Amino acid sequence: MNKRIAVLGTGANGASIGADLTKAGHDVVLIDQWPEHVQAMRANGLRIEMPEETLHLPVRAFHLCDVATFTEPFDIVLLLVKAYDTRWACQLIEPYLARNGLLAGVQNGMTVDTVAAVVGPERTIGSVIEISSMMFDPGVVQRHSGPARSWFAVGSIDPASAGRENEVAELLRHSGAVEIVDDIRAAKWMKLVSNATTLVTTAILGVPMIEAVALPGMRDLMLRSGQEALDTGTALRHRVLPIFGLGEDDMRQSNRLVETLLDTLLAGFVLPNTKTTVLQDWMKGRHSEVDDINGLVAAESHRLGGAAPVNAAVVELARRVERGELQPSPDNLALLQEMVGA
């Protein structure tokens, strides 16, 4: 039987995955909260611009308010909303998730337990995502890493869903390489280490990631931020797991593990004009996931009696940007260096 699939949250990454599943012939609907985006997809289809090719295909697009009209349950829901929107989005879709269905949080942040709290751990699959993409115009995605250069991990958190990971993995394989892991929380924390290194840190400077890394002193600050995240994960007893297609041997180089993650990301997933999702949010006047990334590192480190000064400084500057007190700019590098004594 052809499974009924929903992609809830069709920003750049969700739209890319939805397009891949549609192209592959799956029974999939795309649900989003941006009215103009939904209208554009309905009127003109979805356009995914990649270095290798451009996809332009019709999709079945729905607004959040349309969810109440659905009459058949979904077998699998791929959740791609912002981390801070996880709980309400799960509550919205839970009545439409089949009793033996699965909801996979294909997101940044440590969202898997929030998903489980709403739909039940037996219907929860955790996921790590690495796709580089941007969207500024409704219905049009600039995807910098196509399926050949995108990566996912999936894993269960409950014996009742153990063994069902491949139901989600086989869908995500249309969009990239997929690994099934036995400790999805640890894998998600490893992605958090990468995100704490790159997303908000470079967004503060208001330039693409590769341009930011090249600024004098910036790479060292980024690595310090990532190392704080790695050390906090260790204190929380998260295992160090390979991500981004790396192997165990790569991860054993613990003295430069954060640097390995950064170099792997820059070499395999990022183009020169790639702006992080955080910078994209700010360019759109939106709240970012800073509290779920660097903010989580700083909060957990403090709770454990430690300190994460670079992450704390990044959070402070990010909040100033979101309050309109500071504009993203390379000039902020000197401010960040002063705050952390670099």
Side-chain angles (χ1 to χ4, degrees), residues 29-86:
V29 300
L30 282 65
I31 308 168
D32 201 72
Q33 59 184 316
W34 183 12
E36 291 80 7
H37 181 40
V38 174
Q39 182 178 349
M41 288 191 288
R42 286 175 169 173
N44 305 311
L46 187 55
R47 183 178 178 88
I48 312 294
E49 300 173 351
M50 296 176 283
E52 305 86 354
E53 64 174 328
T54 294
L55 295 180
H56 193 183
L57 68 171
V59 294
R60 297 160 61 200
F62 295 86
H63 192 271
L64 293 180
C65 62
D66 297 318
V67 170
T69 69
F70 296 157
T71 58
E72 295 183 54
F74 294 107
D75 299 296
I76 296 178
V77 174
L78 303 179
L79 185 69
L80 285 106
V81 299
K82 297 293 184 182
Y84 53 75
D85 284 331
T86 299

Side-chain angles (χ1 to χ4, degrees), residues 150-323:
S150 297
W151 180 89
F152 304 87
V154 296
S156 67
I157 62 168
D158 188 86
S161 57
R164 299 187 65 190
E165 298 91 345
N166 200 53
E167 295 178 40
V168 173
E170 68 180 6
L171 298 179
L172 294 177
R173 287 190 181 106
H174 294 293
S175 294
V178 183
E179 295 182 29
I180 295 176
V181 299
D182 62 2
D183 188 346
I184 191 62
R185 291 185 182 91
K188 287 184 73 64
W189 191 274
M190 291 305 300
K191 178 63 189 301
L192 185 71
V193 170
S194 177
N195 286 344
T197 305
T198 58
L199 293 190
V200 191
T201 50
T202 62
I204 289 169
L205 306 189
V207 295
M209 188 187 301
I210 290 179
E211 186 176 336
V213 177
L215 293 174
M218 183 59 184
R219 182 182 175 92
D220 288 342
L221 276 176
M222 292 169 66
L223 293 176
R224 285 178 59 186
S225 183
Q227 188 63 48
E228 289 176 0
L230 183 63
D231 292 343
T232 301
T234 300
L236 291 168
R237 299 187 177 182
H238 287 306
R239 293 160 52 200
V240 173
L241 294 182
I243 60 173
F244 301 157
L246 293 168
E248 293 287 351
D249 289 342
D250 301 304
M251 307 305 282
R252 289 192 185 98
Q253 301 179 44
S254 57
N255 61 325
R256 60 179 301 269
L257 179 55
V258 176
E259 190 169 15
T260 298
L261 291 176
L262 177 59
D263 290 342
T264 301
L265 183 71
L266 294 176
F269 300 94
V270 178
L271 293 183
N273 62 336
T274 298
K275 298 179 177 68
T276 71
T277 180
V278 172
L279 182 54
Q280 292 178 58
D281 285 335
W282 290 346
M283 294 171 69
K284 299 170 187 176
R286 295 183 50 174
H287 176 51
S288 77
E289 293 177 308
V290 60
D291 292 334
D292 295 282
I293 302 172
N294 304 81
L296 181 60
V297 173
E300 287 291 82
S301 180
H302 178 75
R303 183 179 66 83
L304 295 169
V310 179
N311 280 272
V314 167
V315 172
E316 181 178 339
L317 291 180
R319 289 175 177 165
R320 289 181 61 186
V321 169
E322 295 190 359
R323 290 195 299 265

